[in-house]
Amino acid sequence: VQLVESGGGLVQPGGSLTLSCVGSGFTWADYALGWYHQAPGKGREGVAAIDSSGSTTYADSVKGRFTISQDIAKNTVYLQMNTLQPGDAGVYYCAAVRRATIASLTDFFAFFWIDNWGQGTQVTVSS
C-alpha cells in the first residue's frame, strides 16, 4: 500500500485548501481511507474517513467545514477544507485500513487500527 499526499500550503484564516491522496498497491473496494491531523506538539487525530461505498464520517471539530470525497477512477481521496482556523494547522496524513478490519467507519478514528500512512503534507494557517 502506498499513499501520496499533496495540496498542503499556507492559507489565511477563513481560507480554503484541498488536499489530495493518491493510493496504489491495493484494491480500493477493500479499504477505507481518510485523513488524520497532527497539530504541533500533539498526537494524530482522525479528521474524516470514507469507504468505497461513499459512506463518510467526520470528527466533530470539522463537521460543516471539511468534506471528504473520492474519485475511484483516479484512486484518489480528497479533503476539501473550508473556513480554516489556526487550530487546523499542522501535518495532514492520509491513512488507509482494510474495511473488514473495522466494525464501523467511525472506528477509523481509533489510531491503532491504521496500518497504512502517507508521508504527510503541511498545512499552515496564518495571516
Side-chain angles (χ1 to χ4, degrees):
V1 175
Q2 186 175 15
L3 304 169
V4 180
E5 303 100 329
S6 62
L10 172 65
V11 62
Q12 293 184 345
S16 298
L17 206 59
T18 299
L19 307 182
S20 301
C21 171
V22 179
S24 61
F26 62 96
T27 302
W28 198 270
D30 294 338
Y31 279 73
L33 284 89
W35 296 89
Y36 270 69
H37 169 229
Q38 185 166 19
K42 296 186 177 181
R44 296 183 191 184
E45 295 183 343
V47 172
I50 189 168
D51 66 18
S52 61
S53 73
S55 296
T56 59
T57 190
Y58 296 91
D60 289 342
S61 60
V62 305
K63 284 180 181 177
R65 299 190 300 124
F66 290 12
T67 301
I68 189 169
S69 62
Q70 62 186 349
D71 186 335
I72 297 177
K74 295 182 178 179
N75 287 351
T76 303
V77 62
Y78 303 95
L79 186 67
Q80 172 69 43
M81 304 185 293
N82 297 326
T83 320
L84 282 161
Q85 305 164 358
D88 297 319
V91 181
Y92 283 77
Y93 295 91
C94 184
V97 64
R98 283 187 176 272
R99 183 61 182 89
T101 301
I102 51 178
S104 69
L105 195 55
T106 53
D107 290 339
F108 189 95
F109 295 157
F111 183 87
F112 55 83
W113 287 120
I114 305 301
D115 52 4
N116 298 285
W117 296 96
Q119 82 285 356
T121 185
Q122 178 74 45
V123 172
T124 303
V125 183
S126 175
S127 55

